[in-house]
């Protein structure tokens, strides 16, 4: 019995150890499965779409991103030119008085729109009054001399009066007529109504008027100033028919012809491509730059283009229309070029924008714009990031590096 008890205890112990080992083995297997599942879930949590950056509206505003629909522009092999906007001589007026005087009143300020003949200021001076008085006296004297001349001519024709008396009357009449006509012309130049002066009216001041319609550029006088004759008082310009003055260098002269179109930009509107047409080509070289001046007509209906603005342009040759984006919209990695487009996914979270980086083939670069060809699967109605593309690229790299950790 003693031996049987010992065998039973040993068997029970063996069975117990076996069960424990089995339990431990099962537990380890479960832990491995749990770890594998956890790793798989973890990998799925970091498995975001490659080449995509997601930003909140506030982040977009902070970074200063700008987006525009993809559009076609005129690109081609061109002659690069620079220059500035100018006015035609007949569209700019420096206004000065014909006689000296003190400024009695000023009716305009810089920037005012004025019409041809409008009064800008009034000048007054005693000499202006004296000129009108002299005109009145000479005109009255002319009436007497005319009657005397006609009477003596009649007597001379009848043989009653001597030829000497007739000739003296004729000479005085003609010289006084000349004086009256001269004074009348001077007064009219001053803007004074001579018919009213003849009737006895005297004007104490004369108006200073503008000979063209336009805008007041400069006012160079103040109340009470004495202004000498031919002293510039105002500058008025009409920039509705402004033109561009470009320089074309010697090597490109043979390629330029009247009637060609020039596309150009100004610093005030760098994103807007403006158009002009060559109407005249200079015939004299500049001594330093060995360049000819090319004049091109510009339509300036909105009056936003101003004389003196620096312009960069190109004379069109082999022109073509192509999809193009600003140079700063292109992100280059090695030899491959990319752009960022706005992802129009309807499932995106509210107040968040998703940007996708896509590869593009680039072509002609012209006036700060680059021709691009989108992949076939990308719609042409996309919005392209035109400003801040490299910032988006940096954000995407940081996001990817964070996930690798």
């Amino acid at each position: 019995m003693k031996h049987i008890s010992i065998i039973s205890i040993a068997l029970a112990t063996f069975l117990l150890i076996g069960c424990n080992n089995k339990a431990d083995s099962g537990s380890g297997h479960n832990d491995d499965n749990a770890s594998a599942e956890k790793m798989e879930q973890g990998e799925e949590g970091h498995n975001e779409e490659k080449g995509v950056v997601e930003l909140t509206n506030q982040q977009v505003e902070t970074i200063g991103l700008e987006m525009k629909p993809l559009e076609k522009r005129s690109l081609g092999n061109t002659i690069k030119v620079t220059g500035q906007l100018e006015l035609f001589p007949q569209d700019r007026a420096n206004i000065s008085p014909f006689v000296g005087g003190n400024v009695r009143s000023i009716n305009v300020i810089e920037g005012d729109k004025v019409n041809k003949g409008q009064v800008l200021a009034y000048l007054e001076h005693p000499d202006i009054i004296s000129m009108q008085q002299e005109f009145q006296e000479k005109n009255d004297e002319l009436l007497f001399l005319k009657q005397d001349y006609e009477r003596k001519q009649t007597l001379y024709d009848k043989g009653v009066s001597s030829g000497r008396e007739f000739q003296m009357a004729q000479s005085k009449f003609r010289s006084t007529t000349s004086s009256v006509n001269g004074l009348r012309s001077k007064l009219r130049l001053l803007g004074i109504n001579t018919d009213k002066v003849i009737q006895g009216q005297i004007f104490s001041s004369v108006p200073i008027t503008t000979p063209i319609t336009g805008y007041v550029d400069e006012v160079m006088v103040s109340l009470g100033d004495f202004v000498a004759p031919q002293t510039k008082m105002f500058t008025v310009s009409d920039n509705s028919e402004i033109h561009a003055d470009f320089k074309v260098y010697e090597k490109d002269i043979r390629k330029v012809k009247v009637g060609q179109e020039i596309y150009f930009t100004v610093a005030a509107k760098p994103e807007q491509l403006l158009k002009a047409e060559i109407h005249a080509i200079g015939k004299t070289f500049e001594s330093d730059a060995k360049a000819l001046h090319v004049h091109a007509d510009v339509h300036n209906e909105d009056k936003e283009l101003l004389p003196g603005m620096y312009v960069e342009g190109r004379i069109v040759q082999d022109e073509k229309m192509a999809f193009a984006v600003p140079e700063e919209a292109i992100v280059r990695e090695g030899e491959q070029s990319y752009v960022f487009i706005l992802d129009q996914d309807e499932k995106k979270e509210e107040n968040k924008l998703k940007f996708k980086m896509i590869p593009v083939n680039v072509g002609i670069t012209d006036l700060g714009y680059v021709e691009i060809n989108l992949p076939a699967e990308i719609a042409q109605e996309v919005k392209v990031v035109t400003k801040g593309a490299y910032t988006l690229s940096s954000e995407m790299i940081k996001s990817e590096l964070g996930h690798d950790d």
Side-chain angles (χ1 to χ4, degrees):
M1 292 294 292
K2 185 177 181 180
H3 291 292
I4 293 172
S5 298
I6 292 172
I7 292 171
S8 299
I9 292 171
L11 181 60
T13 302
F14 175 77
L15 292 172
L16 181 61
I17 292 171
C19 290
N20 287 338
N21 288 339
K22 186 175 180 180
D24 291 340
S25 176
S27 175
H29 180 69
N30 291 336
D31 289 343
D32 290 342
N33 289 339
S35 297
E37 184 179 351
K38 184 177 181 181
M39 289 177 64
E40 186 178 352
Q41 290 175 351
E43 288 176 359
E44 290 177 357
H46 291 289
N47 186 22
E48 295 184 358
E49 190 178 355
K50 188 175 181 181
V52 172
V53 183
E54 193 174 78
L55 301 177
T56 64
N57 291 335
Q58 185 176 359
Q59 287 174 315
V60 169
E61 185 176 348
T62 302
I63 292 173
L65 292 186
E66 292 183 7
M67 296 167 285
K68 289 185 179 179
L70 184 63
E71 60 182 0
K72 286 189 174 182
R73 299 180 70 91
S74 172
L75 303 170
N77 297 319
T78 58
I79 302 170
K80 302 296 189 297
V81 289
T82 59
Q84 66 180 23
L85 298 179
E86 300 283 358
L87 288 173
F88 291 106
Q90 61 269 29
D91 291 329
R92 186 178 182 88
N94 294 321
I95 300 166
S96 55
F98 293 106
V99 295
N102 296 87
V103 180
R104 191 185 78 177
S105 64
I106 300 172
N107 299 342
V108 295
I109 61 174
E110 293 176 358
D112 280 354
K113 187 180 188 307
V114 292
N115 296 315
K116 182 178 180 179
Q118 183 173 330
V119 177
L120 308 181
Y122 283 95
L123 289 183
E124 59 184 3
H125 195 271
D127 289 348
I128 298 171
I129 297 174
S130 299
M131 191 181 301
Q132 296 173 76
Q133 290 175 330
E134 183 182 0
F135 174 68
Q136 284 180 340
E137 292 170 359
K138 289 286 184 182
N139 189 70
D140 291 342
E141 182 182 351
L142 181 62
L143 292 176
F144 169 76
L145 292 175
K146 181 181 179 182
Q147 293 173 354
D148 184 58
Y149 164 68
E150 291 175 346
R151 180 172 54 83
K152 287 184 177 179
Q153 182 179 26
T154 301
L155 294 175
Y156 175 73
D157 291 340
K158 292 181 178 180
V160 176
S161 176
S162 66
R164 183 172 179 276
E165 290 180 351
F166 168 67
Q167 290 173 353
M168 288 182 62
Q170 185 183 54
S171 175
K172 286 184 180 180
F173 172 68
R174 288 179 175 175
S175 63
T176 305
T177 299
S178 177
S179 296
V180 170
N181 289 338
L183 288 169
R184 179 183 284 109
S185 296
K186 286 182 180 179
L187 292 175
R188 285 178 176 173
L189 283 176
L190 297 179
I192 293 176
N193 188 325
T194 54
D195 291 335
K196 291 185 177 180
V197 173
I198 289 174
Q199 294 171 6
Q201 189 171 347
I202 298 294
F203 298 92
S204 62
S205 61
V206 294
I208 306 299
T209 60
T210 172
I212 63 172
T213 296
Y215 292 86
V216 179
D217 292 331
E218 294 179 280
V219 177
M220 286 154 282
V221 292
S222 301
L223 288 178
D225 285 349
F226 176 78
V227 182
Q230 308 307 317
T231 300
K232 186 163 66 173
M233 296 178 63
F234 302 92
T235 301
V236 175
S237 62
D238 177 11
N239 62 351
S240 59
E241 292 299 329
I242 205 166
H243 75 281
D245 184 4
F246 293 102
K247 290 182 181 178
V248 177
Y249 294 99
E250 187 173 3
K251 64 183 180 63
D252 296 320
I253 290 172
R254 60 182 179 82
K255 305 174 187 176
V256 179
K257 297 178 178 61
V258 173
Q260 283 178 314
E261 290 185 339
I262 300 181
Y263 291 93
F264 68 95
T265 58
V266 296
K269 295 182 175 182
E271 76 289 346
Q272 184 175 353
L273 195 62
L274 304 169
K275 187 167 70 172
E277 182 178 316
I278 296 176
H279 79 270
I281 300 173
K283 303 301 180 184
T284 305
F285 277 112
E286 283 195 350
S287 56
D288 293 337
K290 275 290 181 181
L292 285 180
H293 285 271
V294 172
H295 304 281
D297 293 326
V298 179
H299 295 293
N300 188 28
E301 295 177 357
D302 58 5
K303 308 295 189 297
E304 292 184 5
L305 297 178
L306 302 175
M309 282 184 170
Y310 176 79
V311 294
E312 293 183 350
R314 58 184 180 84
I315 301 175
V316 177
Q317 288 187 315
D318 303 325
E319 182 182 15
K320 73 171 184 177
M321 297 298 292
F323 288 111
V325 296
E327 288 186 80
E328 62 181 322
I330 302 292
V331 177
R332 291 180 171 84
E333 293 185 2
E335 296 183 358
Q336 181 62 57
S337 299
Y338 299 88
V339 295
F340 280 93
I341 64 171
L342 178 64
D343 192 345
Q344 304 289 351
D345 184 6
E346 296 180 357
K347 298 179 181 179
K348 66 178 183 293
E349 296 182 35
E350 190 177 357
N351 296 326
K352 283 192 176 182
L353 296 175
K354 189 185 292 185
F355 300 93
K356 183 183 296 185
M357 188 170 76
I358 61 170
V360 292
N361 294 322
V362 298
I364 298 171
T365 299
D366 191 15
L367 278 182
Y369 281 81
V370 181
E371 177 189 1
I372 64 168
N373 295 305
L374 297 173
E377 67 273 12
I378 301 299
Q380 295 178 349
E381 294 77 21
V382 296
K383 281 190 175 181
V384 179
V385 175
T386 57
K387 186 176 181 181
Y390 271 97
T391 304
L392 274 182
S393 179
S394 300
E395 290 293 325
M396 186 179 68
I397 293 171
K398 286 193 294 183
S399 176
E400 292 176 353
L401 292 175
H403 293 160
D404 290 342
D405 292 340

